[in-house]
Amino acid sequence: MSTVLVTGANRGLGLEFCRQYAADGWNVLACCRHPEKADKLAGLAHVRVLPLDVTDFAQIDRLAKELKDTPIDVLINNAGVFGDSPGQGFGQLDYAAWTRALLINTQAPVKMAEAFLPHLQRGKLKRLVSISSQMASIADNGSGGSILYRTSKAALNAAMKSLAIDLKGLGIGVFILHPGWVRTDMGGPNALIDAELSVSGMRRVIADSTLQQSGGFLKYEGSILPW
């Protein structure tokens, strides 16, 4: 049985990843801060709910040790925050919130990659996936604003591009995915697509990916996004 690990698994895209992979018979390691509140995860077959706050790097290390004998085929860095707040644009930036956005959106996915590298090496598919955003694209930025979110996701992209080069010799493919504008707590009710469509598309991209494509910045339906 193939195994997927998902961070931020208790709602939105993370929950939908877990739902779809579980429905296909995968072993799902669903990581979230408060498993006792993850009622929707608890009702899914093939799902093991695990406590994980991605800002706690010691906890990441402990979880990796706990799962040391578990091969992981796909690791999905889904946990993230928007960071920017209304009225706190340039001139009134919340630098503490910016630091937190960088910790969660950029540093934590790299830490997950470090901690779970041995697990990925023992997996069959060997895919490291990070959920980014088209808002991380510098070339596509025509509206400005959202400095905290844009920079933390652009930094994530840069880090994952480097990991794609560093890990290619180990047979590990690294992919950066834009889920589209999705109707989630972060995307809001006016977003264009639902989580089911977004995740099913991203799963196809992951399943069809090749090592030669590692390092790609891709939209949920597989098109290439500009850096």
Side-chain angles (χ1 to χ4, degrees):
M1 182 185 292
S2 299
T3 297
V4 59
L5 184 151
V6 183
T7 65
N10 62 315
R11 62 181 183 175
L13 294 175
L15 177 61
E16 185 62 21
F17 269 118
C18 293
R19 189 190 69 77
Q20 290 193 23
Y21 275 114
D24 282 350
W26 282 55
N27 176 37
V28 179
L29 303 173
C31 301
C32 59
R33 287 181 297 167
H34 303 293
E36 70 281 0
K37 298 179 181 179
D39 296 335
K40 293 180 180 178
L41 284 174
L44 298 175
H46 308 299
V47 174
R48 180 181 175 188
V49 185
L50 298 164
L52 182 64
D53 180 343
V54 297
T55 67
D56 185 342
F57 288 6
Q59 189 180 31
I60 291 175
D61 285 332
R62 288 194 298 270
L63 181 60
K65 185 176 181 180
E66 177 185 341
L67 299 173
K68 61 184 176 64
D69 296 324
T70 304
I72 293 175
D73 295 281
V74 179
L75 190 159
I76 301 176
N77 285 309
N78 169 72
V81 294
F82 188 69
D84 296 270
S85 300
Q88 291 184 337
F90 181 71
Q92 295 180 314
L93 290 173
D94 184 336
Y95 284 88
W98 196 352
T99 298
R100 181 170 173 80
L102 288 165
L103 173 62
I104 295 172
N105 293 347
T106 309
Q107 294 180 343
V110 175
K111 176 60 182 178
M112 288 292 296
E114 284 189 318
F116 286 92
L117 178 60
H119 309 67
L120 284 168
Q121 287 181 273
R122 292 198 298 274
K124 294 179 181 178
L125 192 55
K126 296 180 173 64
R127 292 293 180 263
L128 173 63
V129 177
S130 291
I131 305 305
S132 183
S133 170
Q134 189 168 340
M135 290 179 70
S137 170
I138 295 171
D140 187 67
N141 185 356
S143 60
S146 302
I147 289 176
L148 280 61
Y149 188 65
R150 289 186 189 277
T151 56
S152 61
K153 289 296 189 179
L156 170 67
N157 288 9
M160 290 299 146
K161 177 64 176 179
S162 284
L163 287 188
I165 296 168
D166 296 341
L167 302 180
K168 193 171 186 178
L170 300 177
I172 295 173
V174 180
F175 295 89
I176 309 155
L177 301 183
H178 166 53
W181 186 15
V182 189
R183 289 188 290 275
T184 62
D185 289 346
M186 185 182 293
N190 297 321
L192 298 178
I193 62 174
D194 60 25
E196 183 176 359
L197 177 62
S198 172
V199 168
S200 62
M202 289 190 285
R203 288 184 62 221
R204 280 193 297 272
V205 171
I206 295 167
D208 296 341
S209 66
T210 67
L211 194 57
Q212 288 68 36
Q213 297 169 318
S214 183
F217 181 24
L218 306 171
K219 198 172 179 179
Y220 71 96
E221 29 69 3
S223 60
I224 298 173
L225 287 168
W227 295 107

